[in-house]
Amino acid sequence: NKIIHDEKPEYMLVAFDIGKTFRHEKYDNYKDGRFNFEYTGTQVDFSQYVTVTNSQGTLVNATLTYKYSPLAPKEFSNLGLPTLVSVYWVEVTASHEKYDSASTEIQFVIEAIDITNGTITLEDYDFTYDGTAKIVNIRNATIKNNIELDLTDTSSFIIRYSNNIDAGNNKAIVSITGSGNYKGTLSKTFTIKQATPTNFTLPTFDKTNYVEGEELTRKTSGSANYNSTQLTGNVTSNMKTVAFTTGTDSTKTVTVTFTFNPSDINTNGISNYTTISGTKDFTMYAVAKDGNGVYYGTIKKALDAAPIDGTAYSVWVLPDIFAQTGFYPTLLSNATISSNTTLYTLGRNISPACK
């Protein structure tokens, strides 16, 4: 009998081309003859890494079947290819009608896929500081190859929150940590807004009417609270020098804005509370007293002191405007009063009296 070798070569060879799967940093795997893939949840298409030739080196389009085994003991009892993270032995068998079947085996490593550079999308939220931890819902999380993470799988993913009490712009953190088939941590920041104090008690003052140039003196500094809790802070104001127009202004109403500035500083370097402001009106009178004890003002009215004539008298000046606003009479001690002396006051009547 004559054997035609071109039609039926003696044998068929199966080989893995592992060089297609590794970069330089995976050289150890290449050197050791191991396949190494990241977890995808699906079987790897091994056909692109398997080469089947006959004894003459001609490629053969054979049918491939696979079995796999744990690293130890090596028992190829599982059909197909594994999908979960672990180290396996894989056996591939090539079959063709013209050749005897041929097999080979190789170590097959499925590594956990790194989720660190994925993307988290949050549900809509609106958080304001109130001293309690804020929990934001995750709409979805995706990683490379457009793989969406199943966050209901608590054996693979742990969701944690950190820095989620204090106010801060994108300072609170929700993170997903992978285990098993996944590794690394994927994080997303979210915002907790500052709370607005619920009440601002404005400072109280000794009086509401002040003479031009007189400094407002507070009886209390003012305070603020949040839900009945007293806040720490300081009160500032926008008080400025009041300018009176000569010949026109005798009084001016000044609206002063007071602002409570919380002084607490949280872990994010800001206060958990916003500032809060309120206003208060004060009446300023255009009248002052010079070094000689003579009252004068922007609006002046001359009052002839005649027929009073003398020296070293004490003169009580009682402008109606003072009496009406609770000011006490002003005593000009040892004033020199003569028929040429003019007392200046606002455009009101005064009653000088000597003693």
Side-chain angles (χ1 to χ4, degrees), residues 27-39:
Y27 177 74
D28 287 341
N29 287 333
Y30 176 83
K31 182 178 64 176
D32 295 338
R34 292 183 300 176
F35 272 108
N36 191 291
F37 296 96
E38 269 191 333
Y39 171 81

Side-chain angles (χ1 to χ4, degrees), residues 211-230:
V211 174
E212 180 183 10
E214 186 176 5
E215 183 180 354
L216 278 69
T217 54
R218 303 180 188 180
K219 295 176 66 176
T220 64
S221 61
S223 62
N225 61 62
Y226 179 77
N227 292 343
S228 301
T229 299
Q230 186 75 38

Side-chain angles (χ1 to χ4, degrees), residues 2 32 81 90 93 101 112 119 148 163 182 199-200 218 240 253 274 277 290 326 352:
K2 183 179 180 179
D32 295 338
L81 290 167
V90 172
T93 300
S101 296
T119 301
E148 184 169 344
N163 197 31
Y182 304 87
N199 184 55
F200 178 26
R218 303 180 188 180
K240 298 179 180 179
T253 298
T274 63
S277 298
D290 66 15

Side-chain angles (χ1 to χ4, degrees), residues 12 29 38 53 96 105 119 133 137 153 183 193 230-231 245 247 275 277-278 283-284 290 294 307 338 345:
M12 186 168 54
N29 287 333
E38 269 191 333
T53 61
H96 194 280
E105 61 189 40
T119 301
N137 293 321
D153 180 3
K183 66 181 180 180
K193 295 185 294 188
Q230 186 75 38
L231 303 181
T245 303
T275 59
S277 298
T283 302
M284 306 295 287
D290 66 15
V294 177
S338 69
T345 182

Side-chain angles (χ1 to χ4, degrees), residues 107-118:
Q107 279 192 25
F108 177 53
V109 180
I110 301 180
E111 294 181 334
I113 189 168
D114 193 346
I115 68 172
T116 303
N117 295 320

Side-chain angles (χ1 to χ4, degrees), residues 197 199-200 221-226 228-235 259-266 271-276:
N199 184 55
F200 178 26
S221 61
S223 62
N225 61 62
Y226 179 77
S228 301
T229 299
Q230 186 75 38
L231 303 181
T232 59
N234 63 82
V235 177
T259 302
F260 180 82
N261 306 284
S263 60
D264 68 298
I265 300 298
N266 63 26
S271 171
N272 285 318
Y273 306 94
T274 63
T275 59
I276 185 172

